[in-house]
């Protein structure tokens, strides 16, 4: 069955600290997509990254980096030198090709507090 | 570039009243459209998705319905709201199945 687990409900860090948000997924499909979204206090979900199951290459975008490991079914997200503006809820999501890709399953989210 | 609009931004409705939330997408053709609900402090629940005009798939049984009268318009409705319908409603679109979904600003609904 399709499942996304974000075990960290809330994380609190001080500005400039590095923080890693964990995401573990379950799928029976060999073709799938993984996503990270950011939800600031305004509420709108902002797309951050998409990875397909055939691309295990890690990615870095500015202070953000993602570590995709199929062996552990994890897709973790690291923010380097966190800033107050990073405070938000972050969602990891999974979409399976065999279900037509419609059923994107979201994790419960991790609320990140970055204190000045 | 593509943009997605939702309105109203906030809505307070009495129990038993009707509901109509609208979502429109600009800058793309034949998008896949989605309605999600997010309860306070919770994750997202997919309510409906649509791959074309008049084509609606429901994910969970409920007293809500969806319609797609035009290619880039997606409407969420209810004939009689329940207290449990309160939440944050998000509309999203994608170009193709499995592709990235892009979300609108959302509508906060409070049913009293």
């Amino acid at each position: 069955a399709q499942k996304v687990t974000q075990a960290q409900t809330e994380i609190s860090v001080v500005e400039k600290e590095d923080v890693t948000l964990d995401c573990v997924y379950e799928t029976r499909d060999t073709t799938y997509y993984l996503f990270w979204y950011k939800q600031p206090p305004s509420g709108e979900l902002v797309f951050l990254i998409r990875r397909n199951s055939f691309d295990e290459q890690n990615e870095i975008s500015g202070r953000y980096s993602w570590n995709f490991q199929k062996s552990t079914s994890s897709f973790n997200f690291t923010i380097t030198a966190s800033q107050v503006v990073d405070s938000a809820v972050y969602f990891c999501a999974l979409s399976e090709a065999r279900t037509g890709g419609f059923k994107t399953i979201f994790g419960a989210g991790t609320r990140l507090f970055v204190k000045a | 570039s593509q943009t997605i609009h939702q309105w109203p931004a906030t809505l307070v409705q009495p129990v038993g009243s009707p509901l109509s939330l609208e979502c429109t997408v600009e800058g793309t053709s034949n998008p896949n459209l989605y309605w999600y609900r997010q309860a306070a402090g919770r994750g997202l629940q997919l309510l409906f998705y649509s791959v074309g005009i008049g084509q609606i798939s429901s994910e969970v049984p409920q007293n809500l319905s969806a319609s797609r009268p035009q290619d880039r318009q997606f409407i969420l409705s209810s004939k009689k709201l329940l207290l449990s319908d309160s939440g944050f409603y998000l509309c999203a679109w994608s170009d193709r199945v499995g592709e990235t979904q892009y979300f609108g600003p959302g509508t906060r609904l409070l049913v009293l």
Side-chain angles (χ1 to χ4, degrees), chain B residues 7-81:
Chain B
W7 65 90
T10 305
L11 192 59
V12 180
Q13 291 285 93
V15 170
S17 64
L19 173 74
S20 181
L21 303 182
E22 190 163 341
C23 170
T24 59
V25 182
E26 296 176 357
T28 187
S29 296
N30 196 30
N32 296 319
L33 296 172
Y34 309 83
W35 277 113
Y36 288 87
R37 177 169 58 201
Q38 184 179 27
R42 306 288 292 277
L44 279 76
Q45 180 185 40
L46 178 63
L47 301 175
F48 302 95
Y49 66 87
S50 171
V51 299
I53 295 175
Q55 300 179 62
I56 308 294
S57 296
S58 175
E59 284 297 295
V60 293
Q62 57 207 321
N63 72 320
L64 298 172
S65 62
S67 62
R68 185 170 176 174
Q70 300 181 43
D71 181 44
R72 290 169 289 179
Q73 184 185 30
F74 205 22
I75 297 172
L76 184 68
S77 304
S78 174
K79 292 182 179 178
K80 288 185 178 181
L81 283 169

Side-chain angles (χ1 to χ4, degrees), chain A residues 39 43 45, chain B residues 6 34-36 38 44 88-92 103-106:
Chain A
Q39 187 176 38
L45 264 76
Chain B
Q6 284 186 247
Y34 309 83
W35 277 113
Y36 288 87
Q38 184 179 27
L44 279 76
F88 189 48
Y89 288 83
L90 288 155
C91 181
F103 287 80

Side-chain angles (χ1 to χ4, degrees), chain A residues 8-13 19-22 88 110-114:
Chain A
Q8 305 150 307
T9 305
E10 289 186 0
I11 300 175
S12 184
V13 300
V19 57
T20 296
L21 310 182
D22 298 332
T110 296
R111 185 176 296 274
L112 174 65
F113 295 99
V114 181

Side-chain angles (χ1 to χ4, degrees), chain B residues 89-109:
Chain B
Y89 288 83
L90 288 155
C91 181
W93 73 273
S94 70
D95 270 334
R96 291 184 296 275
V97 166
E99 295 286 327
T100 303
Q101 293 182 24
Y102 298 94
F103 287 80
T107 295
R108 297 192 185 279
L109 172 65

Side-chain angles (χ1 to χ4, degrees), chain A residues 4 14 19 24 33 37 50 59 65 74 82 87 102-103 112:
Chain A
V4 176
V14 177
V19 57
V24 175
Y33 304 92
Y37 287 86
R50 183 187 79 153
E59 177 147 343
S65 62
S74 64
S82 60
S87 296
F102 297 114
K103 298 185 181 182
L112 174 65

